[in-house]
Amino acid sequence: MMAPWKIFSVLLVLLVILYFIMLSFDQMHMLQKMIAKTEPIHRLQKLRQKQLREMCDTIKKDWSYSIDDLSDGELANLIYDDKHHIIYCYVPKVACTNWKRLLYALRYGLSSDQDLVLISRRDAHDSKALRFLKDINKTEAKAKLKHYKKFLFVRDPFVRLVSAFRDKIQKYGKSFFERYIFLILNRYGNLSYTVETKEHAIASGVSPTFHNFVQYLIDPKTRKPFDEHWRPMYQLCHPCLIQYDFIGHQETLQEDTNQLLKILELEKWKFPPANQNVTAQDSMFNWFKPVLMEERRKLYELYEMDFKLFGYSKPVELLDG
């Protein structure tokens, strides 16, 4: 008969083995959950790229130009980082401040423990703080475009437009008054007098409406290209000329960002959460209510390429009245 202490020892060994077996099962289950969670995101990314390539193939029949044909100004939104071999095309009103903060931190060797929000908006948007393709010769730019990982983030075109209106037209500064508000108010505001200065506009209690902004955009007399905050996204990033490795969407910002940081081997960085004051998709009808149906359709024509290239559905509820 086996001694009690031997029985106890055997039972202890069996319990330890069982523990590690269960631990392995738990780890396996966790791994399966992680794969299950990331797989739909991976498939979604492939779908976005496939849809973009198919649309570009259709468009290129009437669109025969190359990277060599782009001016320096048309490369102004492409930021590169040599150490990490990445190129980011920033689109204003699509989380670009936080992505610029990250590239700023990478360029200046900040620790991944750094809270990116502590990098000021002024520093993040300082054109001298980051490296842009427009500032190097075309041969070098083409080499980087060929070999670096390239990404951009996009957004529903009409939602982005409303966000730009809220941020830049409703909350305008002196510079934007002189460049845009003066013209919008005096041309489309139906005022019985001319608004001369920002101070005059504030004292008079007048400001452009979203309808006025739309009128400005669809007016053939309006100078193009538009300001980058409301310029069509495809004109900023040239997705039919540049083969992007990753296309993120504002609507799935957190999931897309987490996946991209892993791809770029930057997962140690904590990306700031989205702005809580973000423009909501379901508020579009209220914004467009004062806009005439004919004006809405003309506006859609201006941004139709963005809708089609980046997989956004045509907003029929706003266009079919």
Side-chain angles (χ1 to χ4, degrees):
M1 184 175 177
M2 188 179 295
W5 66 268
K6 287 187 177 180
I7 296 174
F8 177 78
S9 298
V10 171
L11 288 174
L12 184 61
V13 170
L14 289 174
L15 284 172
V16 170
I17 293 172
L18 182 61
Y19 170 77
F20 280 106
I21 290 173
M22 294 301 296
L23 185 63
S24 299
F25 282 145
D26 287 343
Q27 290 176 331
M28 183 83 68
H29 183 60
M30 287 177 64
L31 181 61
Q32 288 173 340
K33 285 178 69 176
M34 289 174 62
I35 293 172
K37 188 174 181 180
T38 57
E39 185 59 26
I41 301 173
H42 178 74
R43 287 200 302 267
L44 181 60
Q45 188 59 219
K46 292 295 183 184
L47 179 63
R48 289 172 182 170
Q49 294 184 5
K50 179 176 182 290
Q51 185 166 13
L52 175 60
R53 296 269 69 82
E54 289 175 351
M55 276 303 305
C56 287
D57 289 342
T58 302
I59 294 166
K60 280 181 179 177
K61 297 173 183 176
D62 306 308
W63 198 358
S64 55
Y65 68 98
S66 68
I67 294 291
D68 291 313
D69 299 317
L70 296 178
S71 67
D72 290 343
E74 290 173 306
L75 293 173
N77 288 59
L78 290 149
I79 304 170
Y80 69 91
D81 179 88
D82 284 330
K83 182 178 179 180
H84 300 86
H85 298 152
I86 57 179
I87 292 176
Y88 165 52
C89 183
Y90 78 87
V91 176
K93 309 313 304 171
V94 193
C96 75
T97 298
N98 286 333
W99 278 110
K100 285 184 175 182
R101 281 172 168 150
L102 176 57
L103 291 185
Y104 180 99
L106 295 177
R107 180 178 181 187
Y108 294 103
L110 302 184
S111 167
S112 58
D113 294 331
Q114 165 83 42
D115 185 349
L116 292 176
V117 176
L118 296 179
I119 299 172
S120 70
R121 294 177 65 89
R122 182 175 181 176
D123 284 343
H125 290 288
D126 183 352
S127 60
K128 296 179 181 178
L130 299 171
R131 295 188 174 100
F132 293 83
L133 286 189
K134 69 180 179 63
D135 297 325
I136 60 178
N137 66 64
K138 196 62 68 70
T139 300
E140 188 180 355
K142 287 170 67 176
K144 293 183 192 300
L145 285 168
K146 181 178 181 180
H147 297 291
Y148 286 14
K149 288 186 175 73
K150 301 165 290 294
F151 69 95
L152 78 162
F153 276 75
V154 296
R155 187 178 192 177
D156 178 284
F158 278 2
V159 177
R160 174 175 173 254
L161 200 60
V162 170
S163 179
F165 170 78
R166 293 176 62 196
D167 186 42
K168 298 299 178 182
I169 303 299
Q170 281 189 328
K171 304 175 189 175
Y172 62 84
K174 183 178 179 181
S175 172
F176 266 73
F177 178 87
E178 293 171 350
R179 289 155 62 191
Y180 307 112
I181 308 302
F182 174 85
L183 187 151
I184 294 174
L185 278 177
N186 291 306
R187 184 177 289 179
Y188 313 104
N190 295 320
L191 303 177
S192 58
Y193 54 90
T194 299
V195 175
E196 299 288 352
T197 64
K198 174 188 173 183
E199 292 71 23
H200 184 195
I202 293 173
S204 303
V206 295
S207 62
T209 64
F210 182 67
H211 185 198
N212 296 152
F213 183 49
V214 171
Q215 290 173 307
Y216 162 77
L217 292 172
I218 65 177
D219 191 335
K221 297 191 292 291
T222 297
R223 183 178 178 181
K224 294 181 178 63
F226 289 154
D227 181 278
E228 68 172 3
H229 292 88
W230 47 85
R231 191 180 308 170
M233 295 179 286
Y234 81 95
Q235 292 179 5
L236 296 172
C237 296
H238 319 288
C240 290
L241 293 180
I242 298 171
Q243 189 165 348
Y244 286 93
D245 301 287
F246 193 92
I247 304 165
H249 281 213
Q250 174 78 26
E251 294 78 8
T252 50
L253 179 62
Q254 202 60 55
E255 297 90 337
D256 289 349
T257 296
N258 291 340
Q259 183 187 13
L260 178 58
L261 290 175
K262 290 178 183 177
I263 292 171
L264 300 178
E265 298 180 2
L266 297 172
E267 59 266 40
K268 289 183 180 179
W269 289 90
K270 185 176 180 181
F271 198 82
N275 191 336
Q276 295 300 312
N277 196 31
V278 68
T279 302
Q281 174 80 44
D282 56 11
S283 67
M284 287 301 99
F285 183 77
N286 289 332
W287 284 103
F288 277 87
K289 190 178 293 184
V291 182
L292 300 177
M293 191 59 64
E294 181 182 356
E295 293 170 330
R296 298 181 193 184
R297 290 168 180 162
K298 287 181 180 179
L299 187 69
Y300 176 75
E301 290 176 8
L302 287 176
Y303 294 92
E304 182 176 13
M305 199 67 69
D306 278 351
F307 278 98
K308 290 184 174 180
L309 288 171
F310 299 118
Y312 288 99
S313 301
K314 183 178 180 179
V316 292
E317 68 280 3
L318 296 176
L319 302 174
D320 295 343

